[in-house]
Amino acid sequence: MREREEYLFELFENLLRIKNECSCKIFSECGLSDITIRQIAYLKTIDEQGDITFSRLAEITRNSKPTITETIKKFIQMECVYRERCPDDGRVLYIRLTGKGQRIARAERDSLRQVIGRMMDSLDTHEQEHLIGLLKKVG
Amino acid sequence: MREREEYLFELFENLLRIKNECSCKIFSECGLSDITIRQIAYLKTIDEQGDITFSRLAEITRNSKPTITETIKKFIQMECVYRERCPDDGRVLYIRLTGKGQRIARAERDSLRQVIGRMMDSLDTHEQEHLIGLLKKVG
DNA sequence: CTTAATTAGTTAGGTTTTGCCTAATGATAA
DNA sequence: TTATCATTAGGCAAAACCTAACTAATTAAG
């Protein structure tokens, strides 16, 4: 019992290690190995919100507008976002993710997806269903 | 196939969410909800190394000794570490983790352990073995 | 239909915190 | 007395915020 628990722990630890390597690889491929969690969180917010403006991002993150201007400036230098003027209102600018920005924003999920993909490859249909059944019991 | 993959993804995402809640709870219980990753990494190093001195920690982390003095000062204020003079050499100080420091250093692993514990509780012996068998194929 | 008020974002200039450094100093050991 | 371990003093650069004053575009009011 105790043994099985320990073994399961090690198996999961290994999966998490692989997942972590995957997301580090994504950051490294984007040339952004030293991006901060805070920055990733900003990019995630931009990704989730869709048509997001400077004012709205300031509101959501509870920062002043100048802070957002600065943050976005840095992201533009990093080639993670660009600005797009709203066609209906010339005062408004939308913050848009570049391909790189989107990769970063979704790195966490995508790295898990990669690990799951590997799992699918190592198991046949029957085993896959079995695994799902077991994990369903847990959740 | 695609469906099963997506479902498996969601199941794992859920497990990771639970694990994350567990580790956040640990930090919060220690009154250190806004501890940084860097600080956690230092505490992990101290935990792993055992009898570690200021000079050695400076060496491992590639920092100057004054930087380490400062870092440790902050940890002492946070009640995560204390200093213990070496009985054999009065110049040397060991950096020791307090209970709180150890909890933080091990939060990541312990939160995974908690999740695994829950899994064990929801499955019988046979199912546990089956799960191990499937994950072993993957790793 | 122009002018005044409002709104969106920027600039300028500042603060605080973090995370590091070198050089000099004190205490202990060899 | 020379070397080693840690500390103090003082400083630097970057991060992550801020307020106040500004520009440009829109809306509303006379």
Side-chain angles (χ1 to χ4, degrees), chain B residues 5-6 8 10 21 30 53 71 83 87 112 116 136-137:
Chain B
E5 183 158 348
E6 182 57 28
L8 204 51
E10 277 165 28
E21 280 166 14
C30 290
T53 65
T71 304
R83 301 177 315 170
L112 179 56
I116 302 293
K136 222 153 98 176
K137 271 205 166 182

Side-chain angles (χ1 to χ4, degrees), chain B residues 78-103:
Chain B
M78 292 160 73
E79 298 178 319
C80 285
V81 313
Y82 61 96
R83 301 177 315 170
E84 189 170 81
R85 195 164 292 278
C86 172
D88 305 332
D89 185 340
R91 292 168 304 179
V92 174
L93 290 169
Y94 291 123
I95 305 166
R96 305 275 190 215
L97 291 183
T98 61
K100 201 198 267 192
Q102 207 171 71
R103 274 197 88 193

Side-chain angles (χ1 to χ4, degrees), chain A:
Chain A
M1 164 70 187
R2 202 73 202 74
E3 243 172 50
R4 274 199 303 284
E5 183 158 348
E6 183 57 27
Y7 193 40
L8 204 50
F9 173 73
E10 276 165 29
L11 283 167
F12 267 86
E13 213 176 27
N14 192 45
L15 288 177
L16 290 179
R17 193 186 44 71
I18 295 170
K19 174 178 165 290
N20 191 49
E21 279 167 14
C22 287
S23 52
C24 285
K25 192 168 165 248
I26 292 171
F27 298 142
S28 149
E29 280 168 0
C30 289
L32 295 172
S33 287
D34 52 0
I35 193 165
T36 67
I37 321 172
R38 197 176 305 243
Q39 287 175 322
I40 295 168
Y42 274 101
L43 292 176
K44 270 186 184 169
T45 303
I46 296 166
D47 193 30
E48 284 159 12
Q49 293 283 321
D51 283 349
I52 193 170
T53 65
F54 283 74
S55 297
R56 180 80 186 109
L57 186 57
E59 212 175 283
I60 292 170
T61 63
R62 290 181 201 175
N63 283 129
S64 69
K65 283 193 273 184
T67 299
I68 299 302
T69 298
E70 238 179 296
T71 304
I72 297 302
K73 243 185 205 166
K74 212 173 293 166
F75 279 144
I76 289 172
Q77 277 177 358
M78 293 160 75
E79 299 178 318
C80 285
V81 311
Y82 60 97
R83 302 178 316 169
E84 189 171 78
R85 196 163 291 278
C86 173
D88 303 333
D89 186 338
R91 292 168 304 182
V92 174
L93 290 169
Y94 291 124
I95 305 165
R96 306 276 190 214
L97 290 184
T98 62
K100 202 197 264 190
Q102 207 172 71
R103 274 197 90 194
I104 303 283
R106 299 178 184 178
E108 190 84 2
R109 303 191 95 221
D110 286 350
S111 60
L112 179 56
R113 243 174 242 289
Q114 280 180 48
V115 172
I116 301 294
R118 271 202 226 182
M119 292 178 69
M120 298 296 281
D121 293 344
S122 330
L123 303 174
D124 63 33
T125 307
H126 193 70
E127 290 168 329
Q128 290 170 10
E129 265 160 18
H130 222 111
L131 178 59
I132 289 175
L134 289 170
L135 291 178
K136 223 152 98 176
K137 271 204 166 182
V138 173

